[in-house]
């Protein structure tokens, strides 16, 4: 168990409202990631962090921002939610396993934007 | 253009038979390959991995094969069990980044 929690687990919001999703880890891992999962698209990387205050964009970063002020917390913010951002959001942390990095995923947040 | 393709969205197999899930990729830069399994309403969980310097890795009922010349990865599950019914994602790694396929939904009937 990599000790990853996500909050909230479910959220319904309206178009145009700001939304912040939280990922919390207890294992002090350096790398943290935000993905979204949509039917027909698999898992797509939104943003990732390689340390406190160090973040970078992923494949589908438009409309999202992130912050990491503490090692254990990685926040994903939708500044003005749109219906296209209705999705399941997964946070992950990365742990080196010799020759590869294994990513451990949180339980997900189901976001619905009406 | 997709770097990773799982061309079969779904696969149905009978209990006890072999399940073969496939993954094709276009870029030779990846140096490790993983398979994840996902049940509904849960996060993906790591299943098995293989380094680019190997062509086979086995863990119990699960075996991953890598054919670098064909840029093809496959996961074999033998024997398949109803509890294996889930969505399977291949993931290709370079450094700390992973690129995921779209997933294949495996249904194992008893």
């Amino acid at each position: 168990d990599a000790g990853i929690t996500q909050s909230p687990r479910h959220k319904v919001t309206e178009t145009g409202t700001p939304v912040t999703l939280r990922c919390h880890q207890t294992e002090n891992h350096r790398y943290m990631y935000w993905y979204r999962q949509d039917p027909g698209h698999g898992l797509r990387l939104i943003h990732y962090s390689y340390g406190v205050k160090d973040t970078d964009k992923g494949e589908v970063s438009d409309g999202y921002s992130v912050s990491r002020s503490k090692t254990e917390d990685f926040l994903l913010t939708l500044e003005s939610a749109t219906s296209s951002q209705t999705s399941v959001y997964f946070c992950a942390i990365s742990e080196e396993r010799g020759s590869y990095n294994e990513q451990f995923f949180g339980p997900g947040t189901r976001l619905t934007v009406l | 253009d997709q770097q990773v393709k799982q061309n079969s969205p779904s696969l149905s197999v009978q209990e006890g038979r072999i399940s073969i899930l496939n993954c094709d990729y276009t870029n030779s830069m990846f140096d490790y390959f993983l398979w994840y399994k996902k049940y509904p309403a849960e996060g993906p969980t790591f299943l098995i991995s293989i380094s680019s310097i190997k062509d086979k890795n086995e863990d119990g009922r699960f075996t991953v094969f890598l054919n670098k010349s064909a840029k093809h990865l496959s996961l074999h599950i033998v024997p398949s069990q109803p509890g294996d019914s889930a969505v399977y994602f291949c993931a290709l790694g370079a450094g700390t980044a992973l690129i995921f396929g779209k997933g294949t939904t495996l249904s194992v009937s008893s």
Side-chain angles (χ1 to χ4, degrees):
Chain A
D1 183 7
I4 307 170
T5 57
Q6 293 185 231
S7 59
R9 294 293 314 279
H10 302 271
K11 185 169 182 67
V12 180
T13 191
E14 295 189 349
T15 298
T17 59
V19 176
T20 295
L21 308 182
R22 179 181 183 239
C23 177
H24 179 78
Q25 59 146 329
T26 59
E27 302 292 326
N28 207 35
H29 292 290
R30 179 183 173 193
Y31 290 89
M32 299 184 75
Y33 310 80
W34 276 107
Y35 290 89
R36 59 179 289 175
Q37 186 199 5
D38 304 289
H41 288 278
L43 288 157
R44 293 181 293 173
L45 182 65
I46 304 171
H47 282 278
Y48 67 99
S49 170
Y50 46 95
V52 173
K53 298 186 180 179
D54 291 324
T55 65
D56 208 347
K57 296 179 179 180
E59 177 189 357
V60 289
S61 60
D62 287 348
Y64 302 95
S65 63
V66 289
S67 65
R68 193 168 177 200
S69 58
K70 297 185 290 184
T71 299
E72 57 267 35
D73 289 325
F74 192 32
L75 304 180
L76 177 71
T77 297
L78 292 65
E79 301 290 349
S80 178
T82 68
S83 58
S84 65
Q85 293 176 312
T86 292
S87 186
V88 180
Y89 291 86
F90 290 101
C91 173
I93 60 92
S94 163
E95 185 172 297
E96 288 192 25
R97 300 278 193 190
S99 61
Y100 67 95
N101 273 5
E102 179 181 336
Q103 291 188 13
F104 295 88
F105 286 82
T109 295
R110 182 172 293 276
L111 176 67
T112 302
V113 183
L114 302 175
Chain B
D1 194 19
Q2 292 178 60
Q3 296 191 62
V4 184
K5 292 183 180 180
Q6 291 182 256
N7 290 320
S8 298
S10 62
L11 175 67
S12 294
V13 171
Q14 283 192 321
E15 182 178 7
R17 307 293 290 267
I18 185 172
S19 296
I20 300 177
L21 298 103
N22 296 303
C23 180
D24 296 294
Y25 59 98
T26 57
N27 196 315
S28 299
M29 73 176 186
F30 301 110
D31 47 27
Y32 57 95
F33 307 83
L34 307 93
W35 284 94
Y36 281 82
K37 176 180 179 179
K38 185 184 178 307
Y39 291 118
E42 295 183 10
T45 55
F46 169 76
L47 191 57
I48 192 169
S49 67
I50 187 167
S51 162
S52 62
I53 62 173
K54 296 188 175 183
D55 55 16
K56 177 181 175 181
N57 187 27
E58 195 169 350
D59 183 2
R61 297 186 296 113
F62 302 92
T63 303
V64 56
F65 295 93
L66 176 63
N67 183 333
K68 284 189 296 182
S69 60
K71 296 187 177 65
H72 180 79
L73 183 72
S74 64
L75 174 68
H76 293 209
I77 306 173
V78 181
S80 301
Q81 299 174 354
D84 295 330
S85 298
V87 179
Y88 290 79
F89 294 98
C90 63
L92 280 56
T96 59
L98 288 180
I99 297 177
F100 287 82
K102 294 183 178 182
T104 296
T105 300
L106 174 65
S107 299
V108 181
S109 57
S110 54

